[in-house]
Amino acid sequence: MDAAGIYENLKGKFGESITELVTDNPDPFIVIGKSSIADVCGYLKSEPGLEFDFLRSISGVDTEEELELVYHLFSYKHRISLTLKLRMAYDDTEVPTVEPHWKAAD
């Protein structure tokens, strides 16, 4: 499954929490509303056909307009990568943890 297929799957499950799919760069990504990140990640880890069992990294980006959290996921079973982004204002940076899904997030 590619990023577009995963996006459609997530959009069907989480609706407006899945805000954008960006494919016009070498590393396509899906933008998610920050309040839903823990639920979306739990789904991505456990849903048959997805099973993203590895959190490669979480990084922060300051775009000089807003902050972004970037999650790089990998499914060993399906040999696919996925990038998720959260966008937030400088004064609204509290984000639910994904540590229950991947201990590396602690």
Side-chain angles (χ1 to χ4, degrees):
M1 186 177 299
D2 64 359
I6 296 169
Y7 172 79
E8 291 302 324
N9 183 315
L10 293 175
K11 193 77 172 163
K13 175 77 175 169
F14 295 96
E16 293 181 11
S17 295
I18 311 303
T19 60
E20 185 179 2
L21 169 64
V22 178
T23 59
D24 62 348
N25 62 6
D27 190 14
F29 60 89
I30 298 171
V31 180
I32 297 175
K34 69 180 186 149
S35 63
S36 299
I37 188 65
D39 293 335
V40 169
C41 285
Y43 177 79
L44 288 168
K45 183 174 182 188
S46 64
E47 179 66 15
L50 298 174
E51 297 148 314
F52 285 94
D53 53 350
F54 183 57
L55 173 64
R56 286 183 171 170
S57 67
I58 301 174
S59 55
V61 178
D62 183 346
T63 68
E64 296 185 3
E65 295 175 7
E66 62 189 359
L67 297 173
E68 296 178 341
L69 274 180
V70 183
Y71 298 75
H72 289 96
L73 310 179
F74 187 75
S75 170
Y76 280 101
K77 182 174 185 175
H78 303 290
R79 312 304 282 175
I80 54 174
S81 296
L82 179 64
T83 302
L84 305 175
K85 282 191 180 184
L86 305 182
R87 294 178 173 151
M88 64 198 91
Y90 288 103
D91 62 349
D92 186 21
T93 58
E94 191 166 323
V95 177
T97 184
V98 297
E99 186 268 338
H101 309 299
W102 303 287
K103 295 299 179 193
D106 185 10

